[in-house]
């Protein structure tokens, strides 16, 4: 049985075991990129060499006087992240509220769920301009409209995952609560909610990636001056003169998604991971 | 019918609806259980012994007949927290430590944290889990988990203990040890709780109970009441007593004739 503080060497070894596969895949991908470029003689215009991307990353913007392009991209990514986070929290709140509502009133679930599902069938690309323009006319600042678009994308997985989790308690564990004459909120708070957490976090991971997509898509019709979506758009416009910039923007957007996912994974480790993981390890 | 019993069944029937009709889980059951009595319910699968227990606990409602628990309708008895229940599975909440699991009923009933803690710790010592108070359920063996479940049921000192095959999933050795422990806990409580103990095991029923209720299936009904006149406190040697064997044989024959 491992002690509370494993040996430092063992800890490093464990960390290496976790990170090594990621690094290996990264190297393999880079090799594949360069290999394909050389093997099929793809012109730099269609697939720029990695060196060109790194070079572009480190060029100065605004005709040589501004910050590095990569720094500018990261600042823009940060702006997108803030919108994604706000919308994610809004969507999570809405999703949890809907799940609780559906749990308590199953008639509502039967009535509303088809529309909730239907709402997700509308392409966000079509809906985002409507929301942005509509809310803009109503006088809301553009970041509100963007958060609403993100929330629209994120509430659905949270509703479905949370509802499933809230219903995951076994009949016997519910009978136990009944035998203590527990009130409905006590049953939710002390049994259903802790039971639902693993399901909720699975949903939140999906929602986290969706929130980045939502925030990027919402930037396009809102005429935003900052955001990684705008950077992608700008880079696409100037693709012919500088192809690596678009690849760089896409890369940064991808990393933003990974970052958001990791934040949820970290929160999961802190909230659910705690006791449940500890005993899983201790059960040896 | 007397109304001095802790639990009074008066011609109780229970029907479950199934597609195209209904199935009778319990038929015309009358039974009186005295305060402090240890009663074992035994019978083959489908004889309604678990249903009978669920009716007492207001986890199911009778289709007809009268049922009083601690002098009240079962729903009222449940709201008054008149019984503690133990299932075949321990049903511990795996995000809570053993101590916090035992505290759960007290927490719901609103007793203050220091009181709960004290009570949980003393109960855990009573069931031999004193040093596992801060462990999580998965760290414990099946027998230890079931001990914790018993401690949890006793935590709020209910006058009635409902046990639905609590040792059914344990190995024979652990099972016999826990039977003795249960009797010790029961005997040391003042006042003694009334115990309804559902089991599949004939020796277990005879060893534990004051009275064995032999039930027959399809429809579930009470076939025979067997009084167990073995002296208390019962001990390991009780199982070697010729009288024990005679009673086991008697129950077995009633069960066979009930088929």
């Amino acid at each position: 049985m491992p002690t509370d503080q494993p040996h430092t060497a063992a800890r490093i070894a464990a960390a290496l075991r976790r990170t090594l596969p990621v690094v290996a895949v990264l190297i393999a991908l880079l090799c594949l990129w360069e290999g394909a470029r050389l093997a099929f003689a793809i012109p730099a215009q269609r697939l720029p060499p990695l060196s060109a991307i790194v070079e572009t990353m480190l060029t100065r913007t605004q005709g040589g006087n501004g910050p590095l392009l990569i720094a500018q991209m990261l600042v823009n990514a940060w702006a997108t992240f803030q919108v994604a986070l706000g919308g994610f929290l809004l969507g999570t709140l809405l999703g949890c509220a809907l799940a609780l509502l559906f749990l308590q009133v199953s008639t509502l679930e039967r009535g509303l769920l088809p529309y909730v599902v239907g709402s997700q069938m509308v392409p966000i690309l079509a809906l985002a301009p409507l929301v942005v323009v509509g809310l803009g006319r109503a006088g809301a600042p553009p970041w509100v409209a963007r958060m609403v678009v993100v929330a629209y994308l994120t509430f659905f997985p949270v509703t479905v995952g949370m509802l499933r989790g809230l219903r995951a308690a076994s009949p016997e564990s519910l009978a136990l609560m009944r035998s203590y004459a527990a009130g409905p909120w006590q049953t939710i708070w002390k049994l259903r909610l802790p039971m639902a957490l693993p399901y909720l976090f699975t949903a939140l991971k999906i929602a986290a990636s969706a929130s980045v997509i939502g925030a990027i898509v919402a930037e396009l019709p809102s005429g935003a001056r900052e955001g990684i979506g705008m950077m992608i758009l700008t880079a696409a416009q100037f693709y012919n003169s500088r192809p690596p910039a678009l690849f760089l923007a896409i890369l940064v957007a991808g990393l933003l998604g990974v970052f958001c996912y990791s934040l949820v994974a970290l929160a999961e480790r802190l909230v659910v991971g705690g006791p449940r993981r500890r005993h899983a390890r201790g059960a040896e | 019918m007397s109304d001095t019993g802790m639990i009074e069944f008066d011609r109780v029937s229970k029907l479950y609806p199934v597609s195209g009709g209904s199935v009778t889980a319990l038929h015309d059951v009358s039974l009186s259980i005295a305060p402090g009595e240890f009663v074992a319910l035994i019978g083959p699968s489908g004889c309604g012994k678990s249903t009978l227990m669920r009716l007492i606990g207001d986890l199911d409602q009778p289709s007809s007949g009268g049922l009083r628990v601690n002098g009240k309708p079962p729903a009222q008895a449940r709201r008054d927290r008149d019984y503690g229940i133990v299932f075949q599975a321990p049903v511990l909440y795996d995000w809570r430590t053993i101590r916090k699991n035992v505290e759960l009923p007290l927490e719901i009933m609103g007793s203050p944290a220091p009181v709960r803690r004290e009570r949980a710790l003393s109960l855990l010592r009573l069931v031999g889990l004193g040093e596992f108070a801060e462990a999580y359920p998965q760290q414990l063996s099946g027998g230890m988990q079931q001990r914790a479940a018993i401690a949890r049921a006793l935590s709020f000192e209910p006058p009635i203990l409902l046990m639905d095959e609590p040792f059914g999933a344990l190995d024979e050795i652990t099972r016999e040890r826990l039977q003795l422990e249960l009797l010790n806990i029961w005997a040391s409580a003042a006042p003694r709780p009334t115990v309804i103990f559902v089991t599949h095991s004939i020796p277990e029923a005879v060893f534990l109970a004051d009275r064995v209720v032999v039930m027959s299936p399809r429809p579930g009904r009470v076939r025979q009441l067997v009084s167990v006149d073995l002296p208390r406190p019962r001990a390991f040697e009780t199982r070697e007593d010729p009288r024990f064997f005679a009673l086991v044989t008697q129950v077995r024959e009633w069960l066979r004739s009930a088929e």
Side-chain angles (χ1 to χ4, degrees), chain B residues 3-4 6 15 70 90 102 108 112 163 172 210-211 214 227:
Chain B
D3 53 8
T4 54
M6 184 55 114
L15 285 79
N70 204 7
V102 174
I108 285 165
M163 308 184 86
E172 190 71 17
D210 296 316
R211 222 156 28 124
V214 180
S227 288

Side-chain angles (χ1 to χ4, degrees), chain A residues 1 170 172-183 186 190-192 194-195 274-276 278-280 282-283, chain B residues 54 57-59 61 78-79 81 83 85 87-89 91 93-96 104-105 107-109 136 138-139 152 156:
Chain A
M1 184 187 277
S170 71
E172 282 185 336
S173 62
L174 285 166
L176 211 56
M177 279 296 181
R178 185 173 161 83
S179 82
Y180 305 144
Q186 283 178 317
K190 294 193 189 296
L191 171 61
R192 288 192 187 271
M195 200 75 200
R276 290 185 184 174
R278 254 203 313 280
H279 73 58
Chain B
R54 292 177 65 83
D58 189 38
L59 302 174
Q61 287 71 43
R78 178 176 64 81
R79 281 194 291 273
R81 282 114 179 193
Y83 72 88
I85 193 163
F87 297 103
Q88 180 170 357
V91 204
Y93 295 176
D94 69 1
W95 53 91
R96 286 173 167 254
L104 178 69
E107 213 175 288
I108 285 165
M109 295 167 200
Y136 283 89
Q138 276 71 357
Q139 291 172 286
R152 180 181 55 191
F156 53 104

